[in-house]
Amino acid sequence: MQSFLKAHISEVENMLFTEWKLEDALKIEREEGIEEGMEKERRKTIQSLSRFIPVEQIAQMLEIPIEEVNFSLEG
């Protein structure tokens, strides 16, 4: 066990000295999930719009850089 603790000292210290709350962890996980879902939907929207509207107009309508529109179209 001593070798395990030495190998993972930073994790052990974090668990001992940081107050970890399940509620906080779940809240962060939900927020990350929401952000991920919004990003996926934005990409789908951009891909759908690109069939009918030029990239420059999509960027202008969504108020985002053209590079971000192009990135969404690549993925």
Side-chain angles (χ1 to χ4, degrees):
M1 179 145 178
Q2 185 178 12
S3 61
F4 175 83
L5 293 175
K6 282 183 180 180
H8 301 282
I9 189 69
S10 64
E11 295 166 31
V12 171
E13 286 176 342
N14 285 339
M15 291 178 77
L16 290 173
F17 300 116
T18 303
E19 186 176 333
W20 185 82
K21 295 181 181 176
L22 180 59
E23 291 174 7
D24 293 342
L26 292 174
K27 180 181 175 186
I28 290 169
E29 187 175 334
R30 278 191 305 272
E31 289 171 356
E32 289 173 351
I34 290 169
E35 289 175 14
E36 188 177 312
M38 290 174 62
E39 179 63 29
K40 285 181 182 178
E41 287 304 313
R42 183 166 63 178
R43 285 184 181 180
K44 286 181 185 178
T45 300
I46 289 171
Q47 290 169 354
S48 295
L49 289 172
S50 70
R51 295 179 187 164
F52 310 103
I53 302 173
V55 172
E56 295 80 12
Q57 279 186 311
I58 295 171
Q60 189 176 25
M61 286 178 3
L62 298 178
E63 298 178 353
I64 59 174
I66 291 175
E67 294 80 20
E68 196 170 325
V69 174
N70 287 327
F71 177 77
S72 293
L73 294 174
E74 292 171 3

